[in-house]
Amino acid sequence: MADQQVNFPPGFAVGINPSTPEPTQSRRPDTKLSPPPFTPPTAPRFAPPTVQPPVKGSQLPLSSNGVRTVSPLPHLSTPPGPPVFSSPVQPAAGPFRTSPVTPQPVAFSAAPATPPTGYSDGTNEFQHQVQSNAEDVMSLSDAPNVLLSARKVLKQKKLMNVPSLGFGALVCPGREVLQGPQIIQQDPQRCQNCGAYANLYCNILLGSGQWQCVICRNLNGSEGRYIAPTKEDLLNLPELAFPMVDFVQTGNRRPGFIPVSDSRMSAPVVLVVDDCLDEPHLQHLQSSLHAFVDSLPPTTRIGVVSYGKMVSVYDLSEGSIASADLLPGNVSPSQESLKQLIYGAGIYLSPIHASLPVVHSIFSSLRPYNSNVPEASRDRCMGAAVEVALGIIQGPSAEMSQGVVKKPGGSSRIIVCAGGPNTYGPGSVPHSFSHPNYPHMEKTALKWMEHLGREAHKRNTQIDILCAGTCPVRVPVLQPLAKASGGILILHDDFGEAFGVNLQRASTRAAGSHGLMEIRCSDDVTVSQVIGPGEEAHTDNNEAFKNDNSVSIQMLSVEETQSFAVSLETRGNIKTDFVYLQFGILFSNLYQADITRVITVRLPTVDSVSAYLDSVQDEVAAVLIAKRSLLRAKTGPDAIDVRTTIDERIKDITSRFGSQMPNSKLYQFPKELSHIPEILFHLRRGPLLGSIVGHEDERSVLRDIFLNASFDLSLRMVAPRCLMHREGGTFEELPAHDLAMQSDAAVVLDHGTDVFIWLGAELAAQEGKSAAALAACRTLAEELTEMRFPAPRILAFKEGSSQARYFVSRLIPAHKDPPYEQEARFPQLRTLSAEQRAKLKSSFIHFDEPSFCEWMRGLKVLAPEAS
């Protein structure tokens, strides 16, 4: 990898030129496809579950990282906190395989690697660290932060590097694990040649304590740490016994994981509020803001800034009176004006326990916009307001010596509550698209916003922009500000329930800082692409490690809800029995501890194509394909091209790995990859690529969220999850087909950023039963999404209503298929009487969109049998 040129385009993708040329493709060349990815663990296969919703709400609040804690935190009063989903999932009768939350982890082989010759000195024989039972699939808690698209690697380069399927890993650096990881309060042992970390797969010389690097095969000393009488004694060292460990770096920022109670150490939250809202929007916003501050922990430091044509910085020292200092919004604040503000008599950041009354007074004092000017034409100086908020967070400490300043735990956060575009002052665009100089001014605004985002990131501050209302906010101009700072931009219909939940979750989600991810691979494997919330890291490890060929990514934030899609390919035909991947993740956590998280994966290599296909984790592979595809869909025309590319992917995978049907020109899609086609069919017709979402701005925001999202949210955004309410308050999971639209039933459809509750007409006519079913569905929807960020909007509607189109458009139109295909893919139909089936069939309106089976036949491919 020493001769690789690493190029990271701004934004999401990190492109790395393959070290070897693309192999010649014998059939159906897929010239549009990106290079292949890597291999994570597969998902377990369950029967359709019956789900029992909880009776009561959660008794445990969510911590900032989404994990329940025992310490009681006040809950958001509008909307209510999500309930507990306490009952176990029970299998229902049908054979449909559901989509589990987490794929199966990779299985580790116990066969020891052959020790190299020349390293034996009598008692100092190499001892391999993998225990004899390591062939068993490890528990999900061992290394759930890395999900591979396959658990084995093909030795033949030409087949392994097929771009249409690809090979890769989804890496969630900040994902917290309830049962771990193992914590070691000391510096890690690193290879002096390549910089890799000692791990459970290393060969150890017991007598001398030397260990052999699995990446470069170099022999390293351990300063006596690994000297032991037997190999069993070495298993007491966590890094030699577990695939994932956290090293707490020794230094002057201890006490490690012990929370710091001093309020000066907590990262502040500054609200930047749009002051140009009409009365209905303002009332919803005020309700959400009041509930938000009531939900904050008492030591959270908060600041409030509002903006219109001027920037108002609210003084939190005035008891219960709303008082603000005004700054001009047409220019960036000068250092002198910020210094006068910060060194003045006012207090602009204060713990919530000391300033709650005045903060409530500030929110109550906000007034609706009183001029007769259209929403899009109102002067809003958002850019200047964010600059002022950054100045408040930085405060006078900026002039202190670096060694004296106390760094807050985690990242500071600015949350912008916007109802319209930035049309005044720095980073602004004209009110109208018809302005003669609009393209140039937009380009200038984009650069300015990205620069401000980068400045915020340098100051360890993330900027989240929560937009709501009907006024277009000019998403392309605002996205660089949020993205470059490590924050997020979210669109809402209004400032009500979903906005309020996201406001709370944005402020409390766990966010480490100063993140760096290093990826090291065996010589046989190379990284070809990285997609996620990061960019190329300018590090120079060659001074410490002379042959460090790692790919380094600077993470804009370290959060549980994010992931990186790492695509890999093999350099040539593999001759070894295993390949190794190691992810070193360095970051500072909320309590100022420097963490080095090391995750090491070993994958067996095989000659058999069928053995490789059996190891493919189809859901992980589909998500990786979707992320690589969406990276190219930057405009509406791009999205159309990507839909065509998905068709070509299906045909190419079939031609390479499928089988030709007897006496036919048709090919059968490989049964080992049976779930990939339907997931990709959902992708090409859903909101990310299809025409369900009306405005390109909405699709752009969804695309950015998807490219950064964790596996769980990514899978749901591509392939919706469908659950039908049953008698007794249970739920049965069904395929997301329109055959679920049965008039006597209620259905919940979870599509990641949206959750829909559909009530059939017959059920809706029964007032008591429909109310109970709706309450159960609502409870289930809140439980399914209680740790999700962004929080989805939850919409409920009746069959035949105008809003029901949101639900119908996301379901596969399987009613067009012949009965035998319907029953094979939707077994629940067999439980309906002939009269019920006739009534269901008559309820559908004919339209031209193909069903999944029709789409596959149109590609001259036979769909895999339903499993």
Side-chain angles (χ1 to χ4, degrees):
M1 293 177 65
D3 58 347
Q4 281 184 351
Q5 177 65 39
V6 181
N7 298 315
F8 292 75
F12 293 98
V14 176
I16 299 161
N17 297 328
S19 57
T20 55
E22 187 74 27
T24 304
Q25 299 178 5
S26 56
R27 315 184 214 176
R28 302 180 191 265
D30 192 357
T31 56
K32 295 183 181 180
L33 300 180
S34 56
F38 206 169
T39 63
T42 64
R45 308 193 173 203
F46 299 108
T50 301
V51 179
Q52 175 71 41
V55 178
K56 298 185 352 181
S58 169
Q59 301 302 311
L60 297 179
L62 291 176
S63 68
S64 57
N65 63 3
V67 178
R68 292 202 173 279
T69 58
V70 180
S71 55
L73 297 178
H75 276 286
L76 193 67
S77 59
T78 305
V84 178
F85 185 61
S86 56
S87 298
V89 174
Q90 301 170 352
F96 174 70
R97 172 238 166 136
T98 69
S99 298
V101 172
T102 307
Q104 291 175 356
V106 63
F108 291 97
S109 170
T114 304
T117 59
Y119 285 115
S120 174
D121 62 351
T123 59
N124 284 346
E125 294 290 342
F126 267 118
Q127 299 295 328
H128 198 264
Q129 282 312 115
V130 182
Q131 303 175 58
S132 59
N133 63 350
E135 231 169 1
D136 297 335
V137 175
M138 66 180 183
S139 68
L140 287 176
S141 62
D142 281 337
N145 299 57
V146 176
L147 305 176
L148 297 163
S149 64
R151 292 175 292 173
K152 296 177 181 177
V153 177
L154 262 177
K155 291 184 176 181
Q156 300 94 324
K157 172 187 173 182
K158 185 176 180 180
L159 287 174
M160 190 63 202
N161 290 350
V162 170
S164 52
L165 179 59
F167 172 61
L170 281 171
V171 185
C172 305
R175 179 171 180 175
E176 295 299 329
V177 184
L178 291 177
Q179 294 83 4
Q182 297 296 316
I183 297 170
I184 308 168
Q185 295 200 16
Q186 67 172 45
D187 295 332
Q189 296 286 329
R190 302 190 66 174
C191 176
Q192 296 305 304
N193 181 52
C194 71
Y197 298 84
N199 57 81
L200 75 165
Y201 303 112
C202 293
N203 291 320
I204 308 289
L205 288 171
L206 297 180
S208 64
Q210 291 174 294
W211 59 279
Q212 187 182 35
C213 176
V214 297
I215 301 297
C216 71
R217 314 300 293 173
N218 186 61
L219 195 64
N220 301 275
S222 65
E223 299 176 343
R225 177 169 170 80
Y226 299 155
I227 296 176
T230 66
K231 66 178 182 179
E232 285 73 20
D233 292 303
L234 290 175
L235 297 178
N236 294 322
L237 301 174
E239 71 268 33
L240 301 184
F242 297 93
M244 182 171 73
V245 292
D246 277 4
F247 295 90
V248 178
Q249 299 293 296
T250 57
N252 58 3
R253 280 195 283 154
R254 304 294 291 278
F257 289 87
I258 302 173
V260 180
S261 60
D262 187 346
S263 63
R264 291 175 298 172
M265 303 299 287
S266 63
V269 176
V270 177
L271 295 171
V272 179
V273 181
D274 189 343
D275 208 12
C276 301
L277 301 178
D278 291 330
E279 188 165 2
H281 288 314
L282 179 61
Q283 288 178 351
H284 282 132
L285 175 61
Q286 286 174 320
S287 296
S288 294
L289 291 174
H290 284 304
F292 166 68
V293 293
D294 284 337
S295 74
L296 292 175
T299 58
T300 301
R301 289 186 300 157
I302 193 168
V304 182
V305 175
S306 67
Y307 65 93
K309 199 167 185 175
M310 303 283 289
V311 179
S312 302
V313 187
Y314 286 91
D315 185 355
L316 305 182
S317 66
E318 294 291 337
S320 59
I321 301 173
S323 172
D325 293 290
L326 300 180
L327 294 173
N330 61 327
V331 293
S332 295
S334 65
Q335 289 299 316
E336 188 61 31
S337 61
L338 284 176
K339 189 178 295 185
Q340 290 177 1
L341 183 73
I342 292 168
Y343 284 102
I347 297 176
Y348 306 104
L349 281 178
S350 174
I352 197 68
H353 68 80
S355 55
L356 188 59
V358 68
V359 171
H360 279 303
S361 297
I362 291 168
F363 296 153
S364 298
S365 71
L366 298 175
R367 293 292 177 263
Y369 192 79
N370 56 11
S371 297
N372 189 22
V373 178
E375 277 188 301
S377 301
R378 298 170 187 173
D379 290 332
R380 292 179 171 92
C381 60
M382 182 194 298
V386 172
E387 286 186 293
V388 172
L390 269 176
I392 292 172
I393 289 173
Q394 188 175 18
S397 63
E399 296 183 357
M400 297 182 186
S401 64
Q402 190 172 0
V404 176
V405 176
K406 273 192 170 183
K407 193 189 79 171
S411 296
S412 304
R413 198 172 295 279
I414 294 173
I415 303 179
V416 181
C417 306
N422 181 32
T423 53
Y424 189 70
S428 64
V429 291
H431 299 110
S432 172
F433 288 105
S434 60
H435 190 283
N437 206 24
Y438 188 90
H440 172 72
M441 295 181 71
E442 183 184 50
K443 186 176 180 180
T444 303
L446 284 169
K447 290 182 178 178
W448 190 91
M449 286 292 196
E450 183 177 3
H451 174 74
L452 180 58
R454 291 187 180 279
E455 281 298 309
H457 183 256
K458 288 179 184 177
R459 302 184 194 184
N460 199 29
T461 301
Q462 294 175 311
I463 302 170
D464 294 328
I465 305 176
L466 308 187
C467 305
T470 56
C471 180
V473 294
R474 316 282 172 88
V475 164
V477 178
L478 299 185
Q479 270 180 332
L481 175 60
K483 188 187 300 185
S485 71
I488 190 171
L489 186 149
I490 311 172
L491 300 180
H492 303 84
D493 293 335
D494 52 45
F495 289 98
E497 179 176 3
F499 178 89
V501 173
N502 276 322
L503 189 61
Q504 180 181 3
R505 294 183 187 176
S507 69
T508 58
R509 71 186 192 273
S513 58
H514 303 90
L516 179 72
M517 180 169 66
E518 298 175 342
I519 307 171
R520 293 179 173 86
C521 311
S522 299
D523 288 340
D524 301 312
V525 179
T526 183
V527 178
S528 60
Q529 186 182 54
V530 178
I531 303 171
E535 56 190 23
E536 178 185 7
H538 300 284
T539 59
D540 187 9
N541 286 337
N542 289 329
E543 292 184 6
F545 312 107
K546 58 186 177 182
N547 290 312
D548 185 1
N549 295 322
S550 62
V551 173
S552 297
I553 311 295
Q554 179 185 348
M555 295 183 287
L556 298 176
S557 61
V558 185
E559 299 180 21
E560 187 168 2
T561 56
Q562 296 177 338
S563 72
F564 289 84
V566 181
S567 295
L568 303 123
E569 61 182 11
T570 55
R571 295 174 181 270
N573 292 334
I574 300 174
K575 298 179 181 178
T576 58
D577 293 333
F578 300 97
V579 295
Y580 297 89
L581 309 174
Q582 190 173 80
F583 303 89
I585 301 141
L586 297 81
F587 63 98
S588 298
N589 71 357
L590 291 175
Y591 306 123
Q592 302 188 85
D594 281 345
I595 307 298
T596 300
R597 176 166 292 170
V598 179
I599 307 169
T600 310
V601 176
R602 185 177 76 171
L603 296 169
T605 58
V606 293
D607 291 302
S608 166
V609 174
S610 62
Y612 165 67
L613 293 178
D614 279 335
S615 77
V616 171
Q617 318 287 302
D618 43 10
E619 288 180 338
V620 178
V623 167
L624 285 167
I625 290 171
K627 286 182 182 274
R628 292 199 305 273
S629 300
L630 260 293
L631 188 65
R632 300 173 47 220
K634 296 180 180 179
T635 65
D638 289 342
I640 295 173
D641 291 341
V642 171
R643 290 203 293 270
T644 303
T645 303
I646 289 174
D647 296 350
E648 295 303 316
R649 281 187 187 274
I650 295 295
K651 291 192 285 187
D652 191 66
I653 292 172
T654 306
S655 68
R656 293 173 184 273
F657 299 114
S659 55
Q660 189 170 7
M661 302 301 293
N663 304 319
S664 172
K665 293 182 179 180
L666 295 180
Y667 278 77
Q668 174 79 51
F669 193 86
K671 64 180 185 302
E672 298 91 344
L673 312 178
S674 60
H675 295 92
I676 289 180
E678 189 164 320
I679 294 174
L680 295 185
F681 184 63
H682 277 297
L683 171 66
R684 76 185 304 280
R685 66 186 298 274
L688 292 170
L689 285 178
S691 56
I692 292 176
V693 175
H695 199 281
E696 189 58 38
D697 279 1
E698 296 176 71
R699 186 181 292 108
S700 175
V701 170
L702 288 176
R703 170 180 169 271
D704 276 13
I705 292 172
F706 175 77
L707 290 175
N708 284 348
S710 65
F711 168 76
D712 305 341
L713 178 55
S714 297
L715 181 60
R716 286 285 73 82
M717 289 181 72
V718 173
R721 187 182 185 191
C722 181
L723 298 123
M724 180 179 285
H725 179 256
R726 291 301 189 193
E727 293 292 337
T730 59
F731 287 84
E732 179 183 3
E733 183 162 357
L734 301 171
H737 295 181
D738 60 1
L739 299 172
M741 297 167 55
Q742 297 166 22
S743 249
D744 59 347
V747 180
V748 175
L749 190 74
D750 179 4
H751 210 168
T753 53
D754 295 282
V755 178
F756 305 104
I757 300 171
W758 180 88
L759 295 179
E762 289 184 22
L763 177 64
Q766 306 175 55
E767 188 172 340
K769 288 186 67 175
S770 65
L774 180 60
C777 290
R778 177 79 189 195
T779 299
L780 175 64
E782 290 173 341
E783 169 57 33
L784 291 174
T785 62
E786 66 177 340
M787 289 187 271
R788 190 173 296 174
F789 183 78
R793 62 175 179 172
I794 300 176
L795 298 178
F797 34 73
K798 298 177 183 178
E799 179 182 4
S801 65
S802 61
Q803 279 190 318
R805 69 185 187 279
Y806 296 124
F807 175 80
V808 177
S809 62
R810 286 163 163 82
L811 298 172
I812 291 176
H815 70 275
K816 305 173 68 176
D817 294 332
Y820 72 90
E821 282 188 346
Q822 291 179 347
E823 289 188 6
R825 298 189 176 277
F826 201 89
Q828 188 262 353
L829 280 182
R830 299 169 189 155
T831 66
L832 302 183
S833 65
E835 182 183 355
Q836 288 174 314
R837 292 188 68 162
K839 186 183 297 184
L840 177 62
K841 182 178 180 180
S842 65
S843 67
F844 294 111
I845 301 173
H846 177 76
F847 52 91
D848 294 332
E849 186 181 12
S851 68
F852 168 67
C853 293
E854 289 175 331
W855 173 66
M856 292 289 284
R857 285 193 290 269
L859 300 178
K860 303 294 189 292
V861 175
L862 291 181
E865 295 180 4
S867 58

